[in-house]
């Protein structure tokens, strides 16, 4: 069964610094996709970045990048040069490629607070 | 970008009543989802839906829950009867074809309060 675990409940960082949020996952599939979403204070949920399990290169998207360590089943989100507006709850999620139901499983989220 | 609309944004009802949550998915998207979130915490998968059928449902998708999308109109989540533990924010999401690499597009959620 799929499972996604985010152990960090809350993180505070100073503006313009770099932050890493952890995520580990469990799956029996050899092929899967990992996602990070951001939920703002208004409740809006937006997609940030995706890592395909078969790709060795870490995905990057603007000031977001991923630290994909497949042997450890780990997919950390790195935000560089953080800004106040990065304050939000960040969710890690996974979808198995072979599954015929396309369920996307989410972690419990990490609340990031960026301080001025 | 593409938008998923959820109506209403808030709903307050008495326990035992029926409630229908409405979702207008992104145009031309074929795969739909409902998630439940309590107190801003984990997004819990409820159900996904494709081509008029429930593809998978979780343990949270109780017998009192049902989903449908009649004739391409709103994708709805109906709870009948409601219980106190159904109080949560319900998020609708859609994706173009349901392919594994696709991201989900979420609505802004409907906050359901059961009294």
């Amino acid at each position: 069964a799929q499972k996604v675990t985010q152990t960090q409940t809350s993180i505070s960082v100073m503006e313009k610094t770099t932050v890493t949020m952890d995520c580990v996952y469990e799956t029996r599939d050899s092929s899967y996709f990992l996602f990070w979403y951001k939920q703002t204070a208004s409740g809006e949920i937006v997609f940030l970045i995706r890592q395909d399990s078969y790709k060795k290169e870490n995905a990057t998207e603007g000031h977001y990048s991923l630290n994909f360590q497949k042997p450890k089943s780990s997919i950390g989100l790195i935000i560089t040069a953080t800004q106040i507006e990065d304050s939000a709850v960040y969710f890690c999620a996974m979808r198995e490629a072979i599954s015929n139901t396309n369920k996307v499983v989410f972690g419990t989220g990490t609340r990031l607070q960026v301080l001025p | 970008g593409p938008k998923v609309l959820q109506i209403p944004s808030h709903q307050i009802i008495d326990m035992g009543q029926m409630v229908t949550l409405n979702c207008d998915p992104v145009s031309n998207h074929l795969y739909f989802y409902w998630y439940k979130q309590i107190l801003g915490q984990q997004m819990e998968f409820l159900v996904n839906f494709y081509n008029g059928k429930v593809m998978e449902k979780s343990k949270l998708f109780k017998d009192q829950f049902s989903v449908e999308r009649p004739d391409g109109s709103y994708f709805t989540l109906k709870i009948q009867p409601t219980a106190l533990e159904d109080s949560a924010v319900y998020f609708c999401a859609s994706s173009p074809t349901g392919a594994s690499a696709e991201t989900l597009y979420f609505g802004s959620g409907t906050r359901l309060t059961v009294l």
Side-chain angles (χ1 to χ4, degrees), chain B residues 47-109:
Chain B
V47 66
N48 55 17
F49 188 87
Y50 171 75
N51 197 26
K53 300 175 186 174
V54 170
M55 300 303 292
E56 184 176 6
K57 55 187 179 181
S58 72
K59 294 177 183 177
L60 295 178
F61 194 79
K62 304 178 295 183
D63 292 342
Q64 297 91 324
F65 288 37
S66 63
V67 291
E68 64 176 353
R69 193 188 188 207
D71 301 324
S73 60
Y74 287 143
F75 174 52
T76 62
L77 173 64
K78 182 184 293 185
I79 309 174
Q80 180 178 26
T82 50
L84 294 176
E85 59 265 28
D86 296 331
S87 294
V89 180
Y90 291 84
F91 287 94
C92 174
S94 69
S95 64
T97 66
S100 301
E102 290 176 353
T103 64
L104 300 183
Y105 293 82
F106 283 89
S108 299

Side-chain angles (χ1 to χ4, degrees), chain A residues 37 45 47 95 102 104, chain B residues 2-6 23-35 47-49 69 75 91-99 102-108:
Chain A
Y37 288 83
I45 301 169
F47 163 74
R95 181 196 257 145
N102 293 309
V104 179
Chain B
K3 294 287 187 183
V4 173
L5 300 177
Q6 288 189 241
C23 172
D24 188 8
V26 176
S27 178
N28 296 323
H29 279 196
L30 301 176
Y31 225 98
F32 314 118
Y33 308 77
W34 282 104
Y35 283 83
V47 66
N48 55 17
F49 188 87
R69 193 188 188 207
F75 174 52
F91 287 94
C92 174
S94 69
S95 64
T97 66
E102 290 176 353
T103 64
L104 300 183
Y105 293 82
F106 283 89
S108 299

